[in-house]
Amino acid sequence: MSRKSKKQFINKNDAYRALLTDTLPYEVPFKFSNTGFYKALKDNDDKLNFPFPLNSVKKKVYSIPYNYKIKKDENSYRTLSVIHPLHQIECSKFYSNFEQVILNLTANNKYSLRYPSDVGAYYYEKSRKTEDSDVEWGTVDNNSNSKLTSSSYFSYEKYNFMYKFYESYEFHRLERKFKNLLRMDISKCFHHIYTHSMSWAVKGKNFSKNYVNADTFDGGFDKLMQIMNYNETNGILIGPEISRVFSEIILQSIDTKVDNALSSKELTRGVDYEIRRYIDDYFIFSNNKSVSEAISQILEKNLSEFKLYINESKTISVNRPFMTGETIAKIEIGKTIDHYFSQLVNFKQDNDYSEEKLLKKIWNKSSLSNSFIRDVKAIVKKNEISFDAVISFSISILIKLLKKVLNAIKNHKAEVNEKDLEKLKIFVLETTFFIFAMSPKSRSSYLICRLINLLKEEPKEDSDDSNINKAIFDEITALIQSSSHQNKEPNIELFNLVTTSESLGKSFMLSEELIQQAFGLEADIKSLDYFRIVCCLDYCGNKRKFKGIKKQVIKFLIDTKFGEFDMIEKSTEAFLLLCDLLSSPYISTAEKKAIAKSYLVAYQKENISLRTAQIGQKAAALTNYFSSEREWFYAWKSKPDDIQRLLMRKELRTAY
């Protein structure tokens, strides 16, 4: 870890710190977080006296999560969920009360590669000065590595990403010992987890069916997972880390049952086989395929007792060497990137550039970019994989090398020709955006936004001749148009790029048509949800150019949106909308009052106790409550210059 990084100790007595780490999905717009909500709790002595009817969701009454979609692969989407903020508070309290029970239940693991091992004590916070040095992107507090670059409630053993297991000494040792690897995963694991199975895991199935108690750890965790999800017992929410903690306890219980069953079959772990599990992915190592098959049958039997099943279509058996097409492709792409950069840059190990220039002459940038893209496509095709498998990997390497160049210029006084530096930047930009465009995902969009922040030139009031900023603008424009023409659903990766594009300056403002395409306004305004609404209004701001779009969205909110909610008082999306719209600096007081009245009219349809004569007074109370300068969930007041800070905060969140 760089000496410029500061070790930050965590207040373990803070009952609400899980709000900052474990209760939201990782894949959200980077201006969205619980930071404002958390600060409000701390500033008001842990009490938020929300006005009626926002205070109607009680800790034992269920809520309806806000569901949204992210790209899963080139052709499909995954649904993630945001828990109701008032139930997120209950999650935080549960963690605080039962953290040691959770650790005890995950301490005796047999196979797990990712499990809570301790309560997080500290993390390293990188200052802006360290932006040019190497960093790990979006990692989790990981005991196996001294480079702690994130804040999570728990510290985790052993690997924060699955690929690190493949690259580990542990994996190579297993490969030396065993000839065969059988890889399996659970089909739609979180969709099928039965919340009552927490008690089965902790106390045994038969005992739990006869003795149910919501005041115990297992009963409380079961009930908590239900009330945040429409009181559903079949399936848990996907996205928040707390769901992975819930599943880990259950899966470790199954691991123990499998281990005991194998021992009774006279199969010895470490001799006849080894099993590893990363969340819901299993790795079975053996020297005999018949042994692997016997193990898989026992595993399937024990999973089925918890209503979980193996995804047969993803079961893969390989013999040594345990190399997949994805692994080979990453090796080849890494070498390809190194090869092209060696033609562009003279890196010196001693950082002495006094006798030789850092950058080589680039005669034909376009030809170089096209050649690199061709080679990457050939690698993907040859290894029969999709671009999804290598996008983040490839972009991370390109960014790392670009940062190394910028670091040499800034900190080691390497002299460069400005035109050559511009060509290098545009080469990195074009190749990175091509790779990203093959299958844009929210996680890789954070990398792209970081790249834009590295490349962009500060906008000048009297000039719009920045070739770099124009190239960035053109790439973002092309991506929005491509997504719209392919009828792809507007989602987070586009919203992040639109938000980041604002830092390019007024000369590179997106057109009304592009904004309509990016947020899906031209297709069906009725499909607008919370993320699309706040990101769109944020970009429009008070800019005269987007007055019409802003008016269109606000009119939809007042006339239609709130009336479409079922059980609006329990709706997470309605709660988020009201908090952020009524605190937005871009919505007038009159519009805020109309929004509050629209919410209350919708509420009245389901709660006749609210009289029509009271609506005006209640609307005024709502608008007054949110009239302060406080931000709640969406960072309205962040300026283009704050993007770096927000993206660094994103890096401190848990990814897996």
Side-chain angles (χ1 to χ4, degrees):
M1 175 56 62
S2 169
R3 293 177 182 175
K4 297 179 182 178
S5 297
K6 186 177 180 181
K7 191 173 184 178
Q8 300 284 355
F9 286 91
I10 295 169
N11 178 9
K12 291 187 176 183
N13 295 321
D14 182 356
Y16 298 109
R17 66 186 181 91
L19 290 173
L20 302 175
T21 59
D22 284 40
T23 60
L24 287 179
Y26 177 77
E27 299 90 343
V28 295
F30 64 77
K31 280 193 174 186
F32 174 81
S33 74
N34 274 336
T35 303
F37 183 55
Y38 171 83
K39 287 180 179 178
L41 270 169
K42 305 304 289 182
D43 292 346
N44 291 279
D45 297 323
D46 301 342
K47 293 180 181 179
L48 290 176
N49 296 315
F50 282 114
F52 176 88
L54 293 186
N55 56 4
S56 60
V57 173
K58 305 299 182 183
K59 64 180 182 180
K60 293 186 178 180
V61 178
Y62 73 85
S63 59
I64 302 170
Y66 165 49
N67 298 322
Y68 62 99
K69 293 180 179 180
I70 63 166
K71 284 288 294 293
K72 181 180 180 182
D73 50 43
E74 293 180 41
N75 302 309
S76 62
Y77 293 85
R78 172 183 285 116
T79 298
L80 301 184
S81 302
V82 175
I83 304 165
H84 195 291
L86 300 185
H87 282 148
Q88 288 185 49
I89 293 174
E90 296 307 310
C91 292
S92 296
K93 291 178 180 178
F94 186 85
Y95 262 26
S96 182
N97 291 334
F98 292 106
E99 58 186 26
Q100 290 303 321
V101 178
I102 291 171
L103 292 172
N104 289 339
L105 288 169
T106 58
N108 190 31
N109 79 88
K110 304 294 183 183
Y111 310 139
S112 184
L113 295 171
R114 184 188 186 275
Y115 60 91
S117 61
D118 200 355
V119 176
Y122 60 91
Y123 65 96
Y124 281 103
E125 181 177 77
K126 290 180 287 298
S127 67
R128 294 190 181 208
K129 292 180 181 178
T130 64
E131 273 297 273
D132 295 323
S133 61
D134 294 346
V135 296
E136 287 194 47
W137 298 71
T139 56
V140 66
D141 188 351
N142 184 1
N143 274 346
S144 298
N145 192 336
S146 61
K147 297 172 73 174
L148 302 179
T149 55
S150 76
S151 175
S152 52
Y153 192 93
F154 295 106
S155 296
Y156 284 78
E157 295 278 5
K158 306 175 185 176
Y159 306 101
N160 48 6
F161 289 99
M162 194 191 297
Y163 78 84
K164 291 188 177 182
F165 171 56
Y166 282 117
E167 296 175 356
S168 69
Y169 173 73
E170 178 182 6
F171 185 83
H172 296 150
R173 183 167 51 82
L174 289 167
E175 188 171 10
R176 285 203 308 267
K177 192 170 185 177
F178 297 104
K179 298 177 183 178
N180 181 259
L181 168 61
L182 180 64
R183 180 170 171 178
M184 312 166 74
D185 76 354
I186 300 172
S187 178
K188 297 183 177 180
C189 180
F190 284 20
H191 290 93
H192 293 150
I193 286 180
Y194 188 48
T195 65
H196 293 338
S197 62
M198 173 57 68
S199 295
W200 304 353
V202 174
K203 295 177 178 175
K205 192 170 184 178
N206 293 333
F207 181 88
S208 300
K209 282 185 172 292
N210 294 317
Y211 299 96
V212 179
N213 188 345
D215 294 328
T216 60
F217 164 79
D218 49 294
F221 212 168
D222 174 5
K223 188 61 180 175
L224 184 62
M225 300 306 282
Q226 290 179 48
I227 63 172
M228 67 174 72
N229 187 26
Y230 223 135
N231 255 1
E232 288 285 345
T233 57
N234 189 29
I236 61 175
L237 298 182
I238 300 173
E241 178 64 22
I242 190 171
S243 292
R244 290 190 280 279
V245 172
F246 187 89
S247 68
E248 181 63 24
I249 294 170
I250 293 169
L251 292 175
Q252 282 204 22
S253 170
I254 296 172
D255 292 346
T256 299
K257 292 176 182 296
V258 169
D259 200 66
N260 292 337
L262 291 173
S263 296
S264 69
K265 297 287 185 181
E266 297 185 351
L267 290 172
T268 305
R269 178 158 49 96
V271 177
D272 299 303
Y273 73 94
E274 280 285 3
I275 299 176
R276 298 292 185 269
R277 176 180 53 77
Y278 187 87
I279 306 180
D280 58 356
D281 285 280
Y282 288 89
F283 304 84
I284 300 173
F285 298 87
S286 75
N287 285 312
N288 190 319
K289 287 189 177 182
S290 63
V291 171
S292 295
E293 290 171 3
I295 293 171
S296 70
Q297 290 174 7
I298 290 172
L299 174 61
E300 289 184 50
K301 177 180 180 296
N302 281 274
L303 285 170
S304 67
E305 291 176 2
F306 282 74
K307 303 182 184 295
L308 299 173
Y309 304 93
I310 292 295
N311 186 343
E312 300 291 347
S313 65
K314 290 187 178 181
T315 298
I316 301 171
S317 179
V318 294
N319 295 320
R320 287 187 303 206
F322 301 150
M323 293 281 284
T324 63
E326 178 179 332
T327 303
I328 296 169
K330 285 181 177 178
I331 293 170
E332 293 179 347
I333 287 174
K335 289 180 179 178
T336 300
I337 293 174
D338 285 342
H339 168 71
Y340 276 88
F341 255 79
S342 69
Q343 298 180 50
L344 303 171
V345 185
N346 290 307
F347 284 126
K348 299 292 184 182
Q349 287 190 347
D350 60 1
N351 289 315
D352 182 3
Y353 297 97
S354 58
E355 296 183 1
E356 189 174 6
K357 286 188 175 182
L358 173 65
L359 299 183
K360 298 178 182 179
K361 197 71 177 176
I362 302 175
W363 297 105
N364 191 330
K365 169 190 62 62
S366 296
S367 175
L368 198 66
S369 298
N370 291 334
S371 178
F372 174 81
I373 289 169
R374 179 202 64 207
D375 290 350
V376 171
K377 289 194 296 183
I379 291 169
V380 170
K381 186 73 173 178
K382 180 182 70 175
N383 288 288
E384 298 181 337
I385 62 169
S386 68
F387 265 97
D388 290 300
V390 296
I391 287 176
S392 292
F393 171 81
S394 305
I395 295 174
S396 293
I397 294 179
L398 287 164
I399 291 176
K400 182 178 180 179
L401 291 171
L402 175 65
K403 289 171 74 176
K404 191 173 179 179
V405 170
L406 299 178
N407 183 48
I409 296 169
K410 181 179 178 180
N411 297 326
H412 302 291
K413 300 179 180 179
E415 294 184 6
V416 295
N417 178 286
E418 288 301 319
K419 283 293 182 184
D420 288 337
L421 179 59
E422 181 180 280
K423 288 179 180 179
L424 174 67
K425 286 182 174 180
I426 292 177
F427 165 76
V428 173
L429 180 75
E430 290 177 347
T431 53
T432 302
F433 260 88
F434 173 84
I435 294 169
F436 176 68
M438 292 299 95
S439 184
K441 287 187 175 180
S442 56
R443 291 188 180 186
S444 48
S445 76
Y446 305 132
L447 293 174
I448 290 290
C449 291
R450 291 291 295 268
L451 174 65
I452 292 171
N453 206 50
L454 281 172
L455 292 175
K456 71 179 177 66
E457 297 175 344
E458 291 304 315
K460 301 175 183 177
E461 290 293 333
D462 57 346
S463 173
D464 61 354
D465 60 355
S466 169
N467 291 331
I468 295 293
N469 288 7
K470 185 179 186 307
I472 295 170
F473 175 80
D474 289 343
E475 293 289 353
I476 293 174
T477 297
L479 197 65
I480 293 172
Q481 290 173 334
S482 172
S483 180
S484 176
H485 293 156
Q486 295 177 44
N487 295 317
K488 292 182 178 178
E489 188 169 325
N491 44 47
I492 290 168
E493 61 270 7
L494 286 183
F495 308 160
N496 285 334
L497 289 177
V498 169
T499 300
T500 307
S501 73
E502 197 170 7
S503 65
L504 301 177
K506 295 179 181 178
S507 300
F508 300 103
M509 194 179 298
L510 298 173
S511 67
E512 289 184 78
E513 181 183 4
L514 285 170
I515 293 299
Q516 295 270 1
Q517 291 175 349
F519 294 104
L521 300 177
E522 60 176 10
D524 180 16
I525 194 169
K526 289 185 177 181
S527 65
L528 283 183
D529 65 354
Y530 166 75
F531 281 152
R532 289 162 71 179
I533 289 167
V534 293
C535 292
C536 179
L537 289 176
D538 182 44
Y539 188 83
C540 291
N542 289 325
K543 303 180 188 78
R544 184 176 300 177
K545 179 177 181 179
F546 301 117
K547 186 177 180 180
I549 291 178
K550 181 177 165 183
K551 184 177 180 180
Q552 179 187 13
V553 173
I554 292 175
K555 185 178 187 301
F556 164 71
L557 284 164
I558 295 170
D559 294 349
T560 308
K561 180 64 177 177
F562 290 111
E564 293 180 337
F565 287 107
D566 291 326
M567 292 183 284
I568 192 168
E569 67 176 315
K570 293 176 168 49
S571 168
T572 300
E573 185 182 4
F575 186 96
L576 295 172
L577 279 170
L578 207 60
C579 290
D580 281 338
L581 294 175
L582 297 187
S583 60
S584 170
Y586 305 129
I587 300 176
S588 69
T589 301
E591 289 169 333
K592 289 178 180 179
K593 287 180 179 178
I595 288 169
K597 285 183 178 179
S598 177
Y599 177 94
L600 290 164
V601 168
Y603 177 87
Q604 184 190 40
K605 291 178 181 177
E606 299 171 352
N607 300 269
I608 57 174
S609 60
L610 175 62
R611 299 191 301 274
T612 301
Q614 296 177 300
I615 289 179
Q617 176 189 359
K618 299 295 185 184
L622 281 168
T623 52
N624 288 337
Y625 183 85
F626 292 102
S627 63
S628 69
E629 295 294 309
R630 183 184 302 283
E631 290 180 333
W632 288 87
F633 303 98
Y634 193 81
W636 293 108
K637 297 172 189 172
S638 61
K639 305 300 180 186
D641 292 342
D642 296 324
I643 287 176
Q644 181 180 1
R645 174 181 57 82
L646 293 169
L647 288 168
M648 285 180 70
R649 181 182 70 187
K650 195 72 195 165
E651 185 182 338
L652 293 177
R653 277 295 319 279
T654 300
Y656 76 102

